[in-house]
Amino acid sequence: LNAMAVEDYRNNHWPNLEKAIDRLLIQNPTDHISVSYAQIYSYVYKCVCQQHSELLYADLTLKITNHLQQVSTHLQASPPEDFIENFNVALTQYTASLQCIVPVFMYLNKFYIESKLNRDLREDLMKLFADHVAEIHVNTLMPLLIKAHSMPFQVQPSTMASVVKGLHSLRPDWAQLAPALFSGFIPQINPPAVESLLPDYAAHDQKLQLELYMNGFPRGDQSRKRASEDS
């Protein structure tokens, strides 16, 4: 590309896209940020047509990498009791941001990332989260998840499910770090049941029921039992 074309990209196209990306990355899922998606889409289209795809992809991934490094630093400061929840917020917010970012970069994905790199934009951006956030903190996160899983309702079940499923989608191999934990949320993590171990499975279920009972959860449907006794 000639210097004039690159200067035009640097002075006009990328600054506008960068501002939009900034706003999309820091939004909360419930926020309604005034961003002109049509305008972003138009900038991306012009960049691709003017053969700035390689520059645009490099700038986009660098921008998001820098953002994720800040997210990781913020998580580093989280106290242990808030770590699972804060990780879930970070992952949920980032995933929501990609639901806006990926569609407006459709032309870049189709005509450069898929056709030239044989990859997919969303997968690349999720890999950035895995590399720069999840992998940095997985050794802190996993023991906290295992402990929370052994103490029902210490962490909201929906949060536990979101984090465990999120980790599995980022790196399925992480399930091997805690198979018992992941098998509670992801089908077919554990090997098939073995008939000779059925007594062990039953003993495990009884132990879980006892733990729930000791934490104030009744055994079975007590209302039906009382109804039948009253009659």
Side-chain angles (χ1 to χ4, degrees):
L1 294 174
N2 62 56
M4 188 176 295
V6 173
E7 186 179 359
D8 182 50
Y9 167 83
R10 289 287 177 214
N11 293 337
N12 298 315
H13 298 320
W14 175 245
N16 290 300
L17 285 170
E18 186 176 27
K19 289 176 187 175
I21 294 165
D22 273 332
R23 299 184 73 181
L24 292 173
L25 283 172
I26 63 172
Q27 70 172 322
N28 291 315
T30 55
D31 286 348
H32 298 283
I33 295 179
S34 177
V35 174
S36 173
Y37 294 104
Q39 196 170 43
I40 304 171
Y41 189 88
S42 173
Y43 283 127
V44 172
Y45 176 78
K46 289 176 182 176
C47 288
V48 173
C49 290
Q50 294 173 15
Q51 300 183 17
H52 298 312
S53 297
E54 186 175 354
L55 269 175
L56 180 57
Y57 178 70
D59 283 340
L60 174 64
T61 51
L62 179 61
K63 179 73 185 173
I64 292 181
T65 295
N66 290 338
H67 166 76
L68 291 175
Q69 287 171 344
Q70 292 176 6
V71 170
S72 181
T73 300
H74 179 72
L75 276 174
Q76 195 80 43
S78 294
E81 62 271 19
D82 297 331
F83 197 90
I84 295 174
E85 179 63 38
N86 288 344
F87 182 89
N88 184 52
V89 169
L91 178 57
T92 302
Q93 183 172 322
Y94 183 69
T95 304
S97 297
L98 294 194
Q99 290 177 352
C100 301
I101 292 171
V102 171
V104 295
F105 280 85
M106 184 197 74
Y107 269 94
L108 179 69
N109 190 42
K110 183 175 181 181
F111 293 105
Y112 178 71
I113 302 171
E114 288 183 353
S115 63
K116 299 288 179 65
L117 305 181
N118 296 314
R119 296 204 303 266
D120 173 76
L121 177 59
R122 188 181 189 282
E123 291 177 4
D124 279 6
L125 298 184
M126 288 305 296
K127 185 177 184 301
L128 289 180
F129 188 95
D131 291 345
H132 297 285
V133 181
E135 187 168 327
I136 303 299
H137 298 287
V138 70
N139 290 333
T140 300
L141 186 60
M142 204 63 72
L144 294 172
L145 288 169
I146 293 170
K147 180 182 178 183
H149 191 54
S150 69
M151 302 172 67
F153 302 99
Q154 183 189 48
V155 174
Q156 286 288 335
S158 59
T159 299
M160 286 290 293
S162 175
V163 172
V164 173
K165 289 178 180 178
L167 288 174
H168 185 261
S169 69
L170 291 170
R171 294 268 175 84
D173 289 350
W174 280 335
Q176 302 311 311
L177 299 176
L181 168 67
F182 279 78
S183 66
F185 301 94
I186 310 291
Q188 299 177 341
I189 291 293
N190 283 334
V194 179
E195 186 175 356
S196 62
L197 295 178
L198 288 177
D200 293 339
Y201 301 147
H204 176 76
D205 287 344
Q206 287 178 349
K207 181 184 176 184
L208 179 59
Q209 289 177 21
L210 179 60
E211 288 175 354
L212 289 170
Y213 179 71
M214 296 297 288
N215 280 279
F217 292 88
R219 292 180 176 178
D221 190 340
Q222 299 296 308
S223 62
R224 289 189 179 181
K225 184 176 180 181
R226 284 196 299 272
S228 62
E229 287 174 351
D230 292 343
S231 61

